[in-house]
Amino acid sequence: MADEEREFDYRIGDFQQVRRLLYERSGISLSDSKEQMVYSRLARRLRALGLNSFTAYFSHLKQYDEEWQEFVNALTTNLTSFFRESHHFVSLAEHLKKHPRRNGPVRIWCSAASTGEEPYSLAITAMEAFASLHPPVQIIASDIDTGVLQTAAQGIYPLSRIDQMSNERKKRFFLRGKGSQEGMVRVRDELRELIEFQQINLLDPRWPIEPGLDVIFCRNVMIYFDKPTQQHLLERMVKLLRNDGLFFAGHSESFVHATHLVRLIGRTVYRPANPSSGRP
Ligand SMILES: C[S@@+](CC[C@H](N)C(=O)[O-])C[C@H]1O[C@@H](n2cnc3c(N)ncnc32)[C@H](O)[C@@H]1O
């Protein structure tokens, strides 16, 4: 978009300022190509707040703490879908069948849950693997973005989101909306009951997650971070996993070089490299 067509004055310095602030808050590294995306996403915030320039928006951010969450929510990319990279759910089902835990539930952390399709796919996989609507599984689904977490917790989606799913899954796990909810589906309560939704910024120095996890899904979020941040997060996540736990990364995220931390055992699926004495 040409400068003169823009509603708000937007200079390269504004983009650089946004890039710096977002990196500090969330670890997300924006490339130069995201200049227009930043403008259109934040222009909505300026309009909503009745501000007339990016400079005024930066002052507003300094003054009103609550705007930081809106700032982050506006700039995250939340693309996701049910059973995305479906081979991971096949591996997970095999793992659950091979490692049924006898004392305590199987614990899964879905660390970039977005609008919920990924944790609900985990919950469906668990129900199918244990052939029960009440499998011994606990799922923590977290994200930095509070807007997507709200959608996730509601579990209501346009019917088109489950287009690709088998009829059997559609029938077993979703309820079709009627009246004003026509064209929408809602996940069954049993699915929601398996999942605890909470906001976690992966950049925070402490996560409210107990060690001894069986599975971590950390897919399609590391790509937004620079290499040192990725390495540091992987190190912290591996410490939370059991020795026989699994770490699932996204299709374009590779940790094959981090041999001191993880060992590749399937398509972007890893195990902790070294049995840790502190780990169960
Ligand atoms: C592209 S989506 C991936 C969703 C899902 N994992 C998948 O693969 O379909 C990336 C998600 O990472 C979240 N995210 C980005 N930075 C984060 C951070 N610092 N901490 C936690 N989540 C973050 C975004 O809000 C977004 O929902």
Side-chain angles (χ1 to χ4, degrees):
M1 186 191 284
D3 284 356
E4 60 274 14
E5 287 171 30
R6 285 191 176 129
E7 181 181 352
F8 305 103
D9 190 27
Y10 178 61
R11 306 287 163 99
I12 186 69
D14 295 323
F15 172 60
Q16 281 160 352
Q17 171 85 332
V18 170
R19 182 144 76 170
R20 189 177 59 75
L21 296 172
L22 184 67
Y23 179 75
E24 282 169 10
R25 289 271 151 171
S26 68
I28 298 173
S29 283
L30 293 177
S31 65
D32 290 341
S33 66
K34 297 289 192 269
E35 195 185 334
Q36 178 51 38
M37 179 206 88
V38 163
Y39 174 81
S40 54
R41 303 257 189 107
L42 288 182
R44 279 182 232 148
R45 289 305 306 150
L46 267 68
R47 248 172 257 132
L49 294 164
L51 300 171
N52 57 14
S53 71
F54 276 76
T55 314
Y57 183 65
F58 297 133
S59 308
H60 185 90
L61 265 176
K62 267 199 200 135
Q63 222 181 327
Y64 298 98
D65 231 19
E66 64 274 16
E67 183 56 24
W68 281 108
Q69 189 62 57
E70 301 293 342
F71 172 80
V72 170
N73 289 3
L75 293 170
T76 53
T77 299
N78 309 116
L79 184 79
T80 188
S81 56
F82 283 101
F83 293 96
R84 181 181 192 184
E85 298 169 51
S86 57
H87 53 98
H88 279 166
F89 297 91
V90 176
S91 310
L92 175 68
E94 280 165 15
H95 183 72
L96 293 178
K97 286 178 192 164
K98 258 194 262 159
H99 298 265
R101 296 273 299 287
R102 274 163 201 93
N103 35 12
V106 174
R107 294 174 59 233
I108 303 176
W109 181 22
C110 176
S111 66
S114 189
T115 38
E117 289 85 337
E118 187 174 79
Y120 288 124
S121 304
L122 293 170
I124 291 173
T125 304
M127 288 184 179
E128 290 175 343
F130 286 95
S132 163
L133 286 176
H134 303 281
V137 171
Q138 265 177 6
I139 301 168
I140 302 161
S142 64
D143 201 284
I144 192 175
D145 182 333
T146 50
V148 291
L149 282 174
Q150 237 175 346
T151 305
Q154 279 173 347
I156 298 173
Y157 300 94
L159 192 53
S160 58
R161 301 289 291 163
I162 59 167
D163 262 357
Q164 304 299 316
M165 222 177 262
S166 69
N167 282 336
E168 196 194 332
R169 275 185 178 160
K170 286 182 194 166
K171 267 203 216 118
R172 267 187 89 189
F173 299 110
F174 295 87
L175 305 166
R176 283 181 86 130
K178 296 200 179 84
S180 65
Q181 291 296 306
E182 185 79 44
M184 306 295 281
V185 287
R186 183 158 61 79
V187 300
R188 272 186 83 128
D189 286 348
E190 288 88 344
L191 286 175
R192 264 189 305 189
E193 283 158 13
L194 284 191
I195 307 172
E196 185 192 319
F197 293 99
Q198 54 177 307
Q199 186 194 24
I200 299 178
N201 180 354
L202 293 175
L203 226 59
D204 283 349
R206 270 180 299 280
W207 300 325
I209 308 270
E210 291 290 317
L213 289 169
D214 294 272
V215 173
I216 296 179
F217 263 59
C218 182
R219 307 192 311 163
N220 306 303
V221 60
M222 289 284 204
I223 32 162
Y224 299 102
F225 303 146
D226 58 21
K227 288 278 170 226
T229 308
Q230 291 185 6
Q231 194 73 17
H232 178 61
L233 293 181
L234 179 65
E235 207 165 306
R236 291 178 63 196
M237 286 189 177
V238 167
K239 280 193 191 143
L240 293 177
L241 273 178
R242 293 169 55 86
N243 285 330
D244 62 2
L246 295 181
F247 180 89
F248 290 83
H251 60 284
S252 60
E253 297 159 331
S254 171
F255 298 103
V256 284
H257 302 297
T259 47
H260 62 299
L261 293 175
V262 286
R263 188 163 51 88
L264 187 69
I265 60 147
R267 259 166 82 188
T268 54
V269 186
Y270 300 83
R271 270 246 146 90
N274 304 303
S276 145
S277 51
R279 263 200 299 262

